[in-house]
Amino acid sequence: MSTPHIYVDGDACPVRDEVFRVALRLSLPVTVVSNGSRGVRLPDGVRRVIVEEGADAADDWIVEAIGPNDICVTADIPLAARCLAKKALSVSPRGHAWTEANIGGALAGREISRHMRETGMETRNAAFTGADRQRFLVALDAAVAAASRPAPPTFRIPPGGF
């Protein structure tokens, strides 16, 4: 199995430093993708990709580049869904591992929140905490371990059966 590559949705990502520490410890490649330089200094060996301005330009770049068992770090639920569709793993900065089992509900909840905002209701996310950071580290380690495991063997029944 190949080494997983970590892609970071770099605009407003509060856990970049944690990603860099884990990647350095495990010798994993990292690419930070954003719409602007944001003035963030990246460690040696971390690739920076700056895309054109546009609503989903960074997301589109990540989806084009990501492969099976790579990992995307993002708070963007639609981006997480697109990565899952490519058999990649996705982890939110708050430590939530997106899966095929939970992404549908997350997308629906996102639409409900959007509708609430459109009708004038206020929706807010809780402040980012140290506990969120710790949950993220645990979730990222679990994603790296899952991505690094060899795929289970597949057995095929020959035409006509056994």
Side-chain angles (χ1 to χ4, degrees):
M1 168 140 299
S2 64
T3 301
H5 190 115
I6 301 174
Y7 292 90
V8 179
D9 184 6
D11 292 325
C13 179
V15 291
R16 279 188 214 100
D17 290 340
E18 287 77 7
V19 170
F20 302 151
R21 282 196 306 272
V22 169
L24 179 65
R25 175 173 46 91
L26 299 173
S27 299
L28 299 176
V30 175
T31 300
V32 176
V33 184
S34 64
N35 289 334
S37 66
R38 304 273 189 236
V40 176
R41 189 160 185 253
L42 302 179
D44 290 341
V46 172
R47 179 177 177 207
R48 177 191 314 265
V49 173
I50 299 173
V51 298
E52 301 274 333
E53 290 292 327
D56 292 322
D59 298 359
D60 293 343
W61 193 97
I62 290 170
V63 171
E64 181 68 28
I66 204 162
N69 292 321
D70 287 339
I71 301 165
C72 179
V73 176
T74 185
D76 184 317
I77 297 168
L79 173 56
R82 292 172 69 193
C83 291
L84 290 172
K86 291 195 70 180
K87 304 299 182 209
L89 292 89
S90 190
V91 178
S92 81
R94 292 184 185 270
H96 189 81
W98 301 112
T99 66
E100 293 294 333
N102 66 24
I103 198 69
L107 287 165
R110 180 180 181 274
E111 283 304 305
I112 290 169
S113 293
R114 183 188 59 78
H115 177 72
M116 290 170 61
R117 285 189 301 277
E118 286 176 353
T119 61
M121 295 180 76
E122 193 171 313
T123 61
R124 293 186 183 196
N125 289 327
F128 192 79
T129 67
D132 293 324
R133 199 171 303 279
Q134 190 60 40
R135 275 190 300 277
F136 170 75
L137 285 168
V138 170
L140 182 58
D141 277 340
V144 169
S148 300
R149 275 193 291 271
T154 56
F155 298 100
R156 293 198 171 111
I157 297 175
F162 288 104

